[in-house]
Amino acid sequence: MNIKRTIRDFSEIADLIAAETLTPADGFSTAFETGLDASRMGIADDELTCDMPDAMQAQLATEMLVATLFDVLRDTRIESLAPRLAWGIVNSFHKVAEQLDGEADRAAMKVRDLARDADGSEVLMSELEEAQVLCQSLDEAREAVACMRDHAAATYLAESGRPWSSVRGSLVSSKRTASVIAAQDFLAARRMRKAEAHAPQGPVVVFSGGQVWEDHELLTEALDAVKARVPNMVLATTAQDKGCDAIAAAWAARSGTMLIAFTLDRRLGKRAGFARNEQLLGLRPVEAIVCEGSGLQSHLAREVRAKRIPAHFFALKDQRTNRDAA
């Protein structure tokens, strides 16, 4: 006897797929299972006690948003538009994450102000606790949306082949209750998390190259070899959106390597590129990969040699595509 089952909504689809032993990625498990007892998304909003979205459903829904668009347009006359449309989907997650980050920062400032002025009164303590719940809720939402953005970006990369490009110390006194101390500790921990996200720890490998490069495998093999020697490496590039730097960014996304993209400071005029090279070298890299490009790459190569940094240099003629064509 054939049994037919009607699937009514996405949650049922996700439940069926999850039943086939799928488990959410670590990032989704962390971002969507924070353990907050209650939340509010605005200071005037009622406190909510409902759960966060299911981590597995959120992961699958995010992937479907991007992948389905590529599937629908594949082998059609507008297939070439898929990356442009999908880029916008990833960017929408990114923009909302940025907005939530700003709202959380402002909420954190409110917590700070209330903690500073707290005098032990019941009214101020209540305001402080509400402000802290708001800040925690916005942080929670930001982490969830950022996690979805990162997964959407990874799906975009897989489909397109291109990467999607003051808190004072706690003071204990009769006027400072446990709520104030907890708020100060919360703010300090929050600031530390943000600092760590913008200052990744690990040995730095510098990468730079020109905007014209065909042999992807030559560079990815070199990067693979470096990562095998330096598993916890941080990749620092000159942040160009095509050519060598784009290849390196795609490799970093695939390999899960932290990437620091150094853009030009246009205010420095003609010196901007050289100043960026100085910034890269100021990171005290343990290795460097420099590919032939403009005079900026030549300058970086000279400085790398002068500082005796272990390095790999690639000229345009080293590309195997050129040799094969010959």
Side-chain angles (χ1 to χ4, degrees):
M1 179 177 66
N2 293 327
I3 299 176
K4 294 183 179 180
R5 180 175 178 183
T6 301
I7 305 300
R8 289 184 292 274
D9 56 32
F10 174 76
S11 64
E12 286 198 37
I13 298 174
D15 287 341
L16 286 174
I17 297 175
E20 297 296 324
T21 72
L22 275 179
T23 57
D26 290 343
F28 276 86
S29 295
T30 301
F32 284 82
E33 298 171 11
T34 60
L36 290 183
D37 294 328
S39 70
R40 56 159 40 98
M41 297 302 293
I43 196 65
D45 293 350
D46 292 333
E47 201 166 87
L48 301 174
T49 57
C50 49
D51 295 332
M52 284 287 283
D54 178 79
M56 189 72 253
Q57 290 185 15
Q59 180 177 331
L60 292 171
T62 302
E63 187 169 332
M64 286 176 65
L65 275 173
V66 179
T68 301
L69 181 60
F70 280 94
D71 289 341
V72 169
L73 300 186
R74 188 170 288 116
D75 298 325
T76 72
R77 67 182 68 183
I78 59 171
E79 179 179 8
S80 62
L81 299 181
R84 292 160 63 181
L85 294 168
W87 184 93
I89 294 175
V90 182
N91 192 57
S92 67
F93 283 110
H94 180 62
K95 294 300 292 184
V96 172
E98 280 190 331
Q99 291 165 0
L100 289 168
D101 201 29
E103 292 170 20
D105 284 343
R106 290 189 289 275
M109 291 176 63
K110 180 69 172 177
V111 173
R112 182 196 62 194
D113 292 342
L114 288 169
R116 181 191 61 216
D117 298 334
D119 57 5
S121 69
E122 184 176 346
V123 172
L124 277 179
M125 290 304 99
S126 177
E127 286 186 27
L128 177 58
E129 290 171 3
E130 289 178 359
Q132 189 170 337
V133 168
L134 174 61
C135 188
Q136 289 173 321
S137 302
L138 290 168
D139 274 338
E140 176 189 62
R142 188 266 171 199
E143 291 302 312
V145 174
C147 180
M148 296 171 77
R149 174 204 60 202
D150 293 344
H151 191 59
T155 306
Y156 177 88
L157 172 63
E159 293 286 350
S160 70
R162 297 193 297 271
W164 186 81
S165 287
S166 85
V167 180
R168 296 179 296 186
S170 296
L171 301 176
V172 181
S173 73
S174 59
K175 287 288 187 179
R176 302 180 74 83
T177 67
S179 293
V180 178
I181 297 168
Q184 295 282 21
D185 291 342
F186 161 73
L187 287 171
R190 184 177 186 273
R191 187 171 62 175
M192 183 175 294
R193 287 197 304 272
K194 290 175 73 70
E196 288 174 350
H198 288 87
Q201 301 298 309
V204 173
V205 175
V206 165
F207 184 101
S208 183
Q211 296 191 36
V212 178
W213 197 273
E214 299 297 332
D215 192 350
H216 291 224
E217 290 187 359
L218 180 64
L219 301 187
T220 56
E221 287 170 4
L223 287 163
D224 284 339
V226 174
K227 190 169 180 66
R229 291 191 298 275
V230 192
N232 60 333
M233 64 176 278
V234 175
L235 185 66
T237 76
T238 42
Q240 298 180 91
D241 59 3
K242 57 184 177 180
C244 295
D245 285 359
I247 295 170
W251 173 86
R254 285 195 302 270
S255 63
T257 301
M258 177 67 73
L259 175 70
I260 309 174
F262 280 79
T263 56
L264 289 173
D265 185 348
R266 300 292 181 184
R267 295 171 299 178
L268 299 177
K270 293 181 179 180
R271 177 166 161 67
F274 301 103
R276 179 173 59 186
N277 285 349
E278 292 169 5
Q279 284 182 307
L280 290 169
L281 295 170
L283 298 174
R284 298 184 178 180
V286 297
E287 285 195 48
I289 298 175
V290 184
C291 308
E292 183 179 351
S294 68
L296 293 174
Q297 277 74 41
S298 298
H299 171 263
L300 181 60
R302 288 195 299 272
E303 292 298 313
V304 164
R305 288 192 181 98
K307 293 181 180 295
R308 297 185 177 181
I309 298 168
H312 314 268
F313 301 105
F314 295 103
L316 288 168
K317 65 181 181 181
D318 294 331
Q319 297 181 87
R320 289 166 294 200
T321 49
N322 287 346
R323 294 201 297 269
D324 292 343

PDB file of all heavy atoms in Angstrom, residues 16 19 22 24 32 36 38 59 64 72 77 99 101 111 127 135-136 187 204-205 212 239 241 271 279 286 322:
ATOM      1  N   LEU A  16      11.249  16.705   8.589  1.00  0.00           N
ATOM      2  CA  LEU A  16      11.507  15.447   7.898  1.00  0.00           C
ATOM      3  C   LEU A  16      12.982  15.287   7.561  1.00  0.00           C
ATOM      4  O   LEU A  16      13.569  14.219   7.728  1.00  0.00           O
ATOM      5  CB  LEU A  16      10.672  15.379   6.611  1.00  0.00           C
ATOM      6  CG  LEU A  16       9.170  15.124   6.801  1.00  0.00           C
ATOM      7  CD1 LEU A  16       8.466  15.224   5.459  1.00  0.00           C
ATOM      8  CD2 LEU A  16       8.940  13.754   7.423  1.00  0.00           C
ATOM      9  N   ALA A  19      15.028  14.608  10.582  1.00  0.00           N
ATOM     10  CA  ALA A  19      14.850  13.232  11.051  1.00  0.00           C
ATOM     11  C   ALA A  19      15.814  12.275  10.370  1.00  0.00           C
ATOM     12  O   ALA A  19      16.069  11.180  10.858  1.00  0.00           O
ATOM     13  CB  ALA A  19      13.415  12.784  10.803  1.00  0.00           C
ATOM     14  N   LEU A  22      20.296  14.696  10.101  1.00  0.00           N
ATOM     15  CA  LEU A  22      20.963  15.980   9.960  1.00  0.00           C
ATOM     16  C   LEU A  22      20.990  16.699  11.303  1.00  0.00           C
ATOM     17  O   LEU A  22      20.028  16.652  12.067  1.00  0.00           O
ATOM     18  CB  LEU A  22      20.217  16.858   8.945  1.00  0.00           C
ATOM     19  CG  LEU A  22      20.566  16.664   7.471  1.00  0.00           C
ATOM     20  CD1 LEU A  22      19.710  17.590   6.629  1.00  0.00           C
ATOM     21  CD2 LEU A  22      22.034  16.937   7.221  1.00  0.00           C
ATOM     22  N   PRO A  24      22.273  20.608  13.069  1.00  0.00           N
ATOM     23  CA  PRO A  24      22.706  21.952  12.681  1.00  0.00           C
ATOM     24  C   PRO A  24      24.205  22.134  12.863  1.00  0.00           C
ATOM     25  O   PRO A  24      24.830  21.503  13.715  1.00  0.00           O
ATOM     26  CB  PRO A  24      21.912  22.865  13.627  1.00  0.00           C
ATOM     27  CG  PRO A  24      21.565  22.004  14.794  1.00  0.00           C
ATOM     28  CD  PRO A  24      21.391  20.626  14.242  1.00  0.00           C
ATOM     29  N   PHE A  32      21.557  30.062  17.914  1.00  0.00           N
ATOM     30  CA  PHE A  32      20.112  29.931  18.103  1.00  0.00           C
ATOM     31  C   PHE A  32      19.729  29.236  19.407  1.00  0.00           C
ATOM     32  O   PHE A  32      18.557  29.005  19.653  1.00  0.00           O
ATOM     33  CB  PHE A  32      19.503  29.182  16.915  1.00  0.00           C
ATOM     34  CG  PHE A  32      19.374  30.028  15.680  1.00  0.00           C
ATOM     35  CD1 PHE A  32      20.459  30.216  14.840  1.00  0.00           C
ATOM     36  CD2 PHE A  32      18.187  30.664  15.376  1.00  0.00           C
ATOM     37  CE1 PHE A  32      20.359  31.007  13.706  1.00  0.00           C
ATOM     38  CE2 PHE A  32      18.072  31.459  14.249  1.00  0.00           C
ATOM     39  CZ  PHE A  32      19.163  31.637  13.411  1.00  0.00           C
ATOM     40  N   LEU A  36      18.634  32.511  26.828  1.00  0.00           N
ATOM     41  CA  LEU A  36      17.966  33.648  27.466  1.00  0.00           C
ATOM     42  C   LEU A  36      16.545  33.245  27.865  1.00  0.00           C
ATOM     43  O   LEU A  36      15.828  32.616  27.093  1.00  0.00           O
ATOM     44  CB  LEU A  36      17.899  34.842  26.513  1.00  0.00           C
ATOM     45  CG  LEU A  36      19.210  35.566  26.183  1.00  0.00           C
ATOM     46  CD1 LEU A  36      18.923  36.767  25.288  1.00  0.00           C
ATOM     47  CD2 LEU A  36      19.919  36.014  27.445  1.00  0.00           C
ATOM     48  N   ALA A  38      14.076  35.400  28.547  1.00  0.00           N
ATOM     49  CA  ALA A  38      13.112  36.320  27.950  1.00  0.00           C
ATOM     50  C   ALA A  38      13.860  37.314  27.076  1.00  0.00           C
ATOM     51  O   ALA A  38      15.079  37.465  27.181  1.00  0.00           O
ATOM     52  CB  ALA A  38      12.330  37.055  29.037  1.00  0.00           C
ATOM     53  N   GLN A  59      18.963  27.010   9.490  1.00  0.00           N
ATOM     54  CA  GLN A  59      20.066  26.690   8.582  1.00  0.00           C
ATOM     55  C   GLN A  59      19.546  26.262   7.210  1.00  0.00           C
ATOM     56  O   GLN A  59      20.020  26.731   6.172  1.00  0.00           O
ATOM     57  CB  GLN A  59      20.928  25.581   9.189  1.00  0.00           C
ATOM     58  CG  GLN A  59      22.115  25.171   8.322  1.00  0.00           C
ATOM     59  CD  GLN A  59      22.983  24.123   9.002  1.00  0.00           C
ATOM     60  OE1 GLN A  59      23.058  24.066  10.226  1.00  0.00           O
ATOM     61  NE2 GLN A  59      23.630  23.287   8.209  1.00  0.00           N
ATOM     62  N   MET A  64      18.220  27.313   1.487  1.00  0.00           N
ATOM     63  CA  MET A  64      17.214  27.221   0.426  1.00  0.00           C
ATOM     64  C   MET A  64      16.984  28.562  -0.251  1.00  0.00           C
ATOM     65  O   MET A  64      16.772  28.627  -1.468  1.00  0.00           O
ATOM     66  CB  MET A  64      15.897  26.692   0.999  1.00  0.00           C
ATOM     67  CG  MET A  64      15.919  25.199   1.325  1.00  0.00           C
ATOM     68  SD  MET A  64      14.381  24.645   2.099  1.00  0.00           S
ATOM     69  CE  MET A  64      13.219  24.924   0.759  1.00  0.00           C
ATOM     70  N   VAL A  72      16.458  27.605  -9.844  1.00  0.00           N
ATOM     71  CA  VAL A  72      15.355  28.051 -10.700  1.00  0.00           C
ATOM     72  C   VAL A  72      15.870  28.696 -11.988  1.00  0.00           C
ATOM     73  O   VAL A  72      15.296  28.510 -13.070  1.00  0.00           O
ATOM     74  CB  VAL A  72      14.448  29.038  -9.927  1.00  0.00           C
ATOM     75  CG1 VAL A  72      13.468  29.729 -10.866  1.00  0.00           C
ATOM     76  CG2 VAL A  72      13.682  28.299  -8.830  1.00  0.00           C
ATOM     77  N   ARG A  77      17.663  31.568 -19.867  1.00  0.00           N
ATOM     78  CA  ARG A  77      18.312  32.711 -20.514  1.00  0.00           C
ATOM     79  C   ARG A  77      18.720  33.793 -19.521  1.00  0.00           C
ATOM     80  O   ARG A  77      19.464  34.710 -19.873  1.00  0.00           O
ATOM     81  CB  ARG A  77      17.402  33.296 -21.591  1.00  0.00           C
ATOM     82  CG  ARG A  77      16.136  33.943 -21.070  1.00  0.00           C
ATOM     83  CD  ARG A  77      15.267  34.453 -22.205  1.00  0.00           C
ATOM     84  NE  ARG A  77      14.726  33.343 -22.992  1.00  0.00           N
ATOM     85  CZ  ARG A  77      13.982  33.495 -24.082  1.00  0.00           C
ATOM     86  NH1 ARG A  77      13.701  34.698 -24.528  1.00  0.00           N
ATOM     87  NH2 ARG A  77      13.521  32.449 -24.724  1.00  0.00           N
ATOM     88  N   GLN A  99      22.468  46.689  11.294  1.00  0.00           N
ATOM     89  CA  GLN A  99      21.488  47.516  11.996  1.00  0.00           C
ATOM     90  C   GLN A  99      21.314  47.048  13.441  1.00  0.00           C
ATOM     91  O   GLN A  99      21.284  47.861  14.375  1.00  0.00           O
ATOM     92  CB  GLN A  99      20.154  47.471  11.256  1.00  0.00           C
ATOM     93  CG  GLN A  99      20.175  48.168   9.901  1.00  0.00           C
ATOM     94  CD  GLN A  99      18.973  47.811   9.045  1.00  0.00           C
ATOM     95  OE1 GLN A  99      18.111  47.031   9.455  1.00  0.00           O
ATOM     96  NE2 GLN A  99      18.911  48.366   7.836  1.00  0.00           N
ATOM     97  N   ASP A 101      23.464  45.431  15.185  1.00  0.00           N
ATOM     98  CA  ASP A 101      24.698  45.722  15.904  1.00  0.00           C
ATOM     99  C   ASP A 101      24.686  47.154  16.425  1.00  0.00           C
ATOM    100  O   ASP A 101      25.064  47.422  17.574  1.00  0.00           O
ATOM    101  CB  ASP A 101      25.892  45.497  14.974  1.00  0.00           C
ATOM    102  CG  ASP A 101      27.190  45.271  15.734  1.00  0.00           C
ATOM    103  OD1 ASP A 101      27.136  44.749  16.866  1.00  0.00           O
ATOM    104  OD2 ASP A 101      28.257  45.607  15.200  1.00  0.00           O
ATOM    105  N   VAL A 111      22.592  50.909  29.029  1.00  0.00           N
ATOM    106  CA  VAL A 111      22.922  50.108  30.214  1.00  0.00           C
ATOM    107  C   VAL A 111      24.060  50.766  30.984  1.00  0.00           C
ATOM    108  O   VAL A 111      24.029  50.874  32.213  1.00  0.00           O
ATOM    109  CB  VAL A 111      23.311  48.667  29.807  1.00  0.00           C
ATOM    110  CG1 VAL A 111      23.825  47.888  31.013  1.00  0.00           C
ATOM    111  CG2 VAL A 111      22.117  47.948  29.195  1.00  0.00           C
ATOM    112  N   GLU A 127      14.671  49.779  35.597  1.00  0.00           N
ATOM    113  CA  GLU A 127      15.063  50.294  34.281  1.00  0.00           C
ATOM    114  C   GLU A 127      16.349  49.633  33.804  1.00  0.00           C
ATOM    115  O   GLU A 127      16.496  49.306  32.621  1.00  0.00           O
ATOM    116  CB  GLU A 127      15.255  51.808  34.350  1.00  0.00           C
ATOM    117  CG  GLU A 127      13.966  52.605  34.427  1.00  0.00           C
ATOM    118  CD  GLU A 127      14.233  54.098  34.343  1.00  0.00           C
ATOM    119  OE1 GLU A 127      15.258  54.487  33.738  1.00  0.00           O
ATOM    120  OE2 GLU A 127      13.433  54.872  34.886  1.00  0.00           O
ATOM    121  N   CYS A 135      19.455  44.844  25.520  1.00  0.00           N
ATOM    122  CA  CYS A 135      20.784  44.731  24.919  1.00  0.00           C
ATOM    123  C   CYS A 135      21.134  43.273  24.637  1.00  0.00           C
ATOM    124  O   CYS A 135      21.629  42.934  23.554  1.00  0.00           O
ATOM    125  CB  CYS A 135      21.825  45.360  25.844  1.00  0.00           C
ATOM    126  SG  CYS A 135      23.465  45.490  25.104  1.00  0.00           S
ATOM    127  N   GLN A 136      20.861  42.403  25.593  1.00  0.00           N
ATOM    128  CA  GLN A 136      21.127  40.979  25.392  1.00  0.00           C
ATOM    129  C   GLN A 136      20.293  40.422  24.242  1.00  0.00           C
ATOM    130  O   GLN A 136      20.779  39.617  23.439  1.00  0.00           O
ATOM    131  CB  GLN A 136      20.823  40.208  26.674  1.00  0.00           C
ATOM    132  CG  GLN A 136      21.822  40.458  27.794  1.00  0.00           C
ATOM    133  CD  GLN A 136      21.390  39.807  29.093  1.00  0.00           C
ATOM    134  OE1 GLN A 136      20.206  39.809  29.440  1.00  0.00           O
ATOM    135  NE2 GLN A 136      22.338  39.255  29.822  1.00  0.00           N
ATOM    136  N   LEU A 187      28.665  44.346  30.350  1.00  0.00           N
ATOM    137  CA  LEU A 187      29.225  45.286  29.381  1.00  0.00           C
ATOM    138  C   LEU A 187      30.690  44.975  29.097  1.00  0.00           C
ATOM    139  O   LEU A 187      31.138  45.036  27.952  1.00  0.00           O
ATOM    140  CB  LEU A 187      29.086  46.719  29.903  1.00  0.00           C
ATOM    141  CG  LEU A 187      27.663  47.295  29.881  1.00  0.00           C
ATOM    142  CD1 LEU A 187      27.636  48.615  30.635  1.00  0.00           C
ATOM    143  CD2 LEU A 187      27.188  47.490  28.453  1.00  0.00           C
ATOM    144  N   VAL A 204      49.966  35.485  11.185  1.00  0.00           N
ATOM    145  CA  VAL A 204      49.457  36.147   9.984  1.00  0.00           C
ATOM    146  C   VAL A 204      50.253  35.723   8.756  1.00  0.00           C
ATOM    147  O   VAL A 204      51.485  35.674   8.783  1.00  0.00           O
ATOM    148  CB  VAL A 204      49.518  37.679  10.144  1.00  0.00           C
ATOM    149  CG1 VAL A 204      49.160  38.378   8.829  1.00  0.00           C
ATOM    150  CG2 VAL A 204      48.580  38.126  11.256  1.00  0.00           C
ATOM    151  N   VAL A 205      49.530  35.420   7.693  1.00  0.00           N
ATOM    152  CA  VAL A 205      50.125  35.165   6.384  1.00  0.00           C
ATOM    153  C   VAL A 205      49.634  36.262   5.443  1.00  0.00           C
ATOM    154  O   VAL A 205      48.430  36.459   5.284  1.00  0.00           O
ATOM    155  CB  VAL A 205      49.730  33.777   5.839  1.00  0.00           C
ATOM    156  CG1 VAL A 205      50.265  33.589   4.421  1.00  0.00           C
ATOM    157  CG2 VAL A 205      50.252  32.678   6.757  1.00  0.00           C
ATOM    158  N   VAL A 212      44.726  40.513 -12.547  1.00  0.00           N
ATOM    159  CA  VAL A 212      44.606  39.595 -13.677  1.00  0.00           C
ATOM    160  C   VAL A 212      45.367  38.322 -13.339  1.00  0.00           C
ATOM    161  O   VAL A 212      46.597  38.339 -13.185  1.00  0.00           O
ATOM    162  CB  VAL A 212      45.171  40.220 -14.973  1.00  0.00           C
ATOM    163  CG1 VAL A 212      45.079  39.212 -16.118  1.00  0.00           C
ATOM    164  CG2 VAL A 212      44.425  41.500 -15.317  1.00  0.00           C
ATOM    165  N   ALA A 239      42.766  43.031  -0.510  1.00  0.00           N
ATOM    166  CA  ALA A 239      41.320  43.301  -0.628  1.00  0.00           C
ATOM    167  C   ALA A 239      40.834  43.737  -2.001  1.00  0.00           C
ATOM    168  O   ALA A 239      39.849  44.460  -2.101  1.00  0.00           O
ATOM    169  CB  ALA A 239      40.898  44.341   0.414  1.00  0.00           C
ATOM    170  N   ASP A 241      38.842  43.052  -5.468  1.00  0.00           N
ATOM    171  CA  ASP A 241      37.664  42.210  -5.677  1.00  0.00           C
ATOM    172  C   ASP A 241      37.762  41.317  -6.904  1.00  0.00           C
ATOM    173  O   ASP A 241      36.787  40.661  -7.282  1.00  0.00           O
ATOM    174  CB  ASP A 241      36.398  43.069  -5.753  1.00  0.00           C
ATOM    175  CG  ASP A 241      36.449  44.095  -6.876  1.00  0.00           C
ATOM    176  OD1 ASP A 241      37.444  44.103  -7.633  1.00  0.00           O
ATOM    177  OD2 ASP A 241      35.498  44.890  -6.999  1.00  0.00           O
ATOM    178  N   ARG A 271      50.034  57.662  -1.978  1.00  0.00           N
ATOM    179  CA  ARG A 271      50.771  56.873  -0.989  1.00  0.00           C
ATOM    180  C   ARG A 271      49.922  55.749  -0.386  1.00  0.00           C
ATOM    181  O   ARG A 271      50.421  54.904   0.356  1.00  0.00           O
ATOM    182  CB  ARG A 271      51.271  57.810   0.122  1.00  0.00           C
ATOM    183  CG  ARG A 271      51.985  57.085   1.222  1.00  0.00           C
ATOM    184  CD  ARG A 271      52.768  57.962   2.156  1.00  0.00           C
ATOM    185  NE  ARG A 271      53.039  57.257   3.395  1.00  0.00           N
ATOM    186  CZ  ARG A 271      53.832  56.205   3.502  1.00  0.00           C
ATOM    187  NH1 ARG A 271      54.445  55.723   2.434  1.00  0.00           N
ATOM    188  NH2 ARG A 271      54.008  55.605   4.665  1.00  0.00           N
ATOM    189  N   GLN A 279      51.163  48.542   6.586  1.00  0.00           N
ATOM    190  CA  GLN A 279      50.232  47.957   7.555  1.00  0.00           C
ATOM    191  C   GLN A 279      50.348  46.436   7.571  1.00  0.00           C
ATOM    192  O   GLN A 279      50.370  45.812   8.638  1.00  0.00           O
ATOM    193  CB  GLN A 279      48.799  48.351   7.210  1.00  0.00           C
ATOM    194  CG  GLN A 279      48.422  49.773   7.557  1.00  0.00           C
ATOM    195  CD  GLN A 279      46.969  50.035   7.217  1.00  0.00           C
ATOM    196  OE1 GLN A 279      46.518  49.798   6.099  1.00  0.00           O
ATOM    197  NE2 GLN A 279      46.216  50.523   8.191  1.00  0.00           N
ATOM    198  N   VAL A 286      54.232  35.613   9.385  1.00  0.00           N
ATOM    199  CA  VAL A 286      55.148  34.473   9.445  1.00  0.00           C
ATOM    200  C   VAL A 286      55.479  33.963   8.051  1.00  0.00           C
ATOM    201  O   VAL A 286      56.480  33.274   7.857  1.00  0.00           O
ATOM    202  CB  VAL A 286      54.551  33.337  10.297  1.00  0.00           C
ATOM    203  CG1 VAL A 286      54.361  33.791  11.732  1.00  0.00           C
ATOM    204  CG2 VAL A 286      53.228  32.836   9.708  1.00  0.00           C
ATOM    205  N   ASN A 322      49.282  29.290 -18.936  1.00  0.00           N
ATOM    206  CA  ASN A 322      50.129  29.875 -19.978  1.00  0.00           C
ATOM    207  C   ASN A 322      51.019  28.812 -20.614  1.00  0.00           C
ATOM    208  O   ASN A 322      51.191  28.753 -21.823  1.00  0.00           O
ATOM    209  CB  ASN A 322      51.003  30.990 -19.395  1.00  0.00           C
ATOM    210  CG  ASN A 322      50.204  32.239 -19.070  1.00  0.00           C
ATOM    211  OD1 ASN A 322      49.066  32.367 -19.504  1.00  0.00           O
ATOM    212  ND2 ASN A 322      50.791  33.147 -18.300  1.00  0.00           N
TER     213      ASN A 322
END
